[in-house]
Amino acid sequence: MIGLTIVAVGTSLPELASSIMAVRRNEHDIAIGNIIGSNLFNTMAVVGIAGLIHPMSIEPQLLSRDLPVVTGLTFSLFVIGYGFRGSPGIINRFEGLALLLSYVLYVGWLIVSQTDTV
């Protein structure tokens, strides 16, 4: 829970700031590359190095609960960003709000499910 909320926000703020500056300067490719590169680095390198230092086990809930949510949100971001129904590469405010609301609902769902098991 802490990694999904506090640490994620703290490590994402620099990327968010530089992406906002890139969008304001009309350099959308830099913003998208920054977000994707940061996410890939955090997923592959940080978790990989941590696993090399101290091997860890994966909880079954990760595969049954979290992986489908992450896959669904990634697919929806691809569909929205690719622009099958409108302008390619543009995510409007409604779509961004929907993605943000999905994250907030997911974190809320995790909090509720954690309090049920405790």
Side-chain angles (χ1 to χ4, degrees):
M1 287 301 302
I2 292 172
L4 189 65
T5 54
I6 298 169
V7 175
V9 170
T11 58
S12 297
L13 285 178
E15 284 86 10
L16 180 62
S18 62
S19 295
I20 288 172
M21 291 304 297
V23 168
R24 286 186 170 193
R25 294 180 181 159
N26 205 22
E27 298 173 353
H28 302 285
D29 293 342
I30 292 175
I32 296 296
N34 187 22
I35 293 168
I36 292 172
S38 170
N39 287 336
L40 284 175
F41 178 79
N42 286 339
T43 302
M44 303 296 207
V46 173
V47 175
I49 291 170
L52 283 174
I53 294 170
H54 183 11
M56 57 188 110
S57 61
I58 297 175
E59 295 182 24
Q61 288 179 335
L62 179 68
L63 297 175
S64 64
R65 180 192 63 202
D66 299 336
L67 190 60
V69 172
V70 170
T71 303
L73 285 175
T74 302
F75 180 73
S76 65
L77 178 61
F78 171 74
V79 169
I80 291 170
Y82 193 75
F84 286 110
R85 54 174 183 36
S87 310
I90 295 177
I91 299 174
N92 62 35
R93 287 190 172 118
F94 175 74
E95 295 163 338
L97 182 64
L99 290 170
L100 183 63
L101 183 63
S102 299
Y103 173 74
V104 169
L105 289 172
Y106 173 63
V107 171
W109 178 42
L110 288 178
I111 291 171
V112 168
S113 68
Q114 290 297 325
T115 57
D116 288 345
T117 60
V118 174

